[in-house]
Amino acid sequence: MKIVLATGNKGKLREFREMCDIEIIAFSDILGEMEIIEDADSFKGNALIKARTIYEKLESDEYIVISDDSGISVPLLGGEPGIYSARYAGEGASDKDNLHKLIDTISSKGVKKTSAHYTASIAIVSKYGEYVVHGWMYGDIISTSRGEKGFGYDPIFVPLGYNLTLGELDEEIKKSISHRAKALELAKPIIEILKRKF
Ligand code: ITT
């Protein structure tokens, strides 16, 4: 039995590896790079598409496949970018392009700070069934990028109860409060039970 992470996002892979004490293989190390069409209308739906696609491509029932679909939602923008966070600035946009699009969008509304939250949906697919868990992190986004830590929208996200962005805060703090950490806390016992079944 092996655990495979169905993500092409290096930031997610790093965080999963740092937060789990089990060996996690990147799907690309087995299957090479692959584009997966994420056309569901929810984080849960897209997480399931990614985990199911990789599970099927692996063509072996000896794997537990985990995926993460995540994003940032801004109530001022009607919940955008939400499930479109990875392509907010268009198809093929980089993290920096998306970050600057969000800064420009809130700035154009005359706002320097507004509430936002991250969502992470983690799907687990194996021969013993499919599971999905969620985690959230609430805070504000600001119109100035600060700090180099984390990835994606982290340089403008200030978690509730803090004054610094996730780009500036110690990475240990993100690992203790993040949407991904919270979803993983729910995913870990499921993975443990599944591991024992193999
Ligand atoms: P995979 O689908 O291959 O996992 P992706 O980057 O396309 O990689 P998503 O479709 O789930 O992943 O999009 C998530 C986007 O939301 C990601 O590109 C980031 O911009 C943002 N995001 C999610 N979690 C984040 C976090 O912890 N910190 C900063 N940005 C995050």
Side-chain angles (χ1 to χ4, degrees), residues 24 43 47 73 108 131 140 148 150:
I24 293 180
F43 291 109
S73 304
S108 73
Y131 302 83
D140 288 316
E148 299 294 325

Side-chain angles (χ1 to χ4, degrees), residues 5 7-22 24-26 68 95 148-152 154 166-167 169-172 174-175 180 184:
L5 190 63
T7 184
N9 182 313
K10 299 263 184 304
K12 289 185 191 176
L13 181 64
R14 179 168 40 80
E15 290 189 4
F16 267 89
R17 284 189 166 146
E18 286 172 4
M19 289 190 283
C20 294
D21 46 14
I22 41 179
I24 293 180
I25 304 168
D68 166 312
D95 272 12
E148 299 294 325
K149 297 192 179 108
F151 65 95
D154 286 344
L166 288 175
L169 284 168
D170 197 287
E171 291 186 352
E172 288 305 311
K174 182 177 180 191
K175 276 187 236 162
R180 187 160 297 106
L184 249 182

Side-chain angles (χ1 to χ4, degrees), residues 6-9 12 15 27 38 50 68-72 83 85-86 95 98 118-119 137 151-154 166 174 178-180:
T7 184
N9 182 313
K12 289 185 191 176
E15 290 189 4
F27 83 84
E38 299 170 32
K50 290 188 261 197
D68 166 312
D69 197 68
S70 43
I72 193 163
I83 60 167
S85 294
D95 272 12
N98 292 327
Y118 276 117
T119 303
M137 172 168 50
F151 65 95
Y153 297 94
D154 286 344
L166 288 175
K174 182 177 180 191
S178 82
H179 48 312
R180 187 160 297 106

